[in-house]
Amino acid sequence: MLYSEKVMDHFTHPRNVGIIEDADGVGEVGNAKCGDIMKIYLKISDGIITDVKFNTFGCGSAIASSSMATEMIKGKPISEALTLTNKAVVEALEGLPAHKLHCSVLAEEAVKAAIKDYYDKNGIEYDKSQFPDCASCAHCAID
């Protein structure tokens, strides 16, 4: 079987799908050329991610990665969400095929982009090394 049961579950029954109209932070990553675009919306109160939603245009692995990533950061402090890695998403999904690992990278980048947007909107200082820009991201280089 190509995909784990966990991947299939998060693809066929994705969690936290939608838009938060008055989101405190929004992160959009991806590239129409490679086919996956991921958007994550955060609601933050007292440094805690109280709600998170996503919209993803892409394959089953991209949808499953988005769903799992939102589950992993919901209810967590921003500092903990910033430590989310694509490897942790893959492990939580019980694996992804090698040619689909870029989907988990997108999920990590979308979470970080949404947190960066929150920091920027609120004038909060942050360590810029935690937020690589798209030019340095490996997403499309992996394909």
Side-chain angles (χ1 to χ4, degrees):
M1 182 165 85
L2 193 58
Y3 294 107
S4 71
E5 285 182 36
K6 193 80 86 162
V7 171
M8 292 306 296
D9 180 41
H10 276 268
F11 168 58
T12 57
H13 305 101
R15 283 54 149 194
N16 307 307
V17 175
I19 296 170
I20 299 174
E21 292 295 342
D22 58 344
D24 295 312
V26 179
E28 184 172 357
V29 297
N31 184 326
K33 190 179 76 180
C34 32
D36 296 314
I37 299 173
M38 203 174 279
K39 198 166 191 176
I40 290 195
Y41 303 83
L42 301 176
K43 201 74 182 140
I44 299 170
S45 178
D46 296 324
I48 305 292
I49 297 169
T50 57
D51 197 12
V52 56
K53 300 272 187 237
F54 79 91
N55 273 334
T56 293
F57 176 81
C59 65
S61 294
I63 292 165
S65 293
S66 303
S67 175
M68 181 57 81
T70 61
E71 285 287 276
M72 293 172 77
I73 66 168
K74 194 173 194 175
K76 301 281 194 302
I78 294 171
S79 57
E80 196 173 320
L82 273 174
T83 67
L84 179 76
T85 64
N86 71 298
K87 288 179 181 58
V89 173
V90 171
E91 285 171 17
L93 288 170
E94 298 170 358
L96 283 174
H99 67 285
K100 293 296 184 179
L101 289 175
H102 68 273
C103 297
S104 64
V105 173
L106 269 185
E108 175 188 337
E109 291 171 352
V111 167
K112 288 183 175 167
I115 293 170
K116 182 180 181 301
D117 181 55
Y118 167 72
Y119 284 165
D120 288 343
K121 283 179 179 171
N122 290 280
I124 298 169
E125 291 287 318
Y126 56 86
D127 177 357
K128 291 187 176 27
S129 71
Q130 289 183 297
F131 304 95
D133 62 12
C134 199
S136 68
C137 112
H139 171 250
C140 292
I142 290 172
D143 290 343

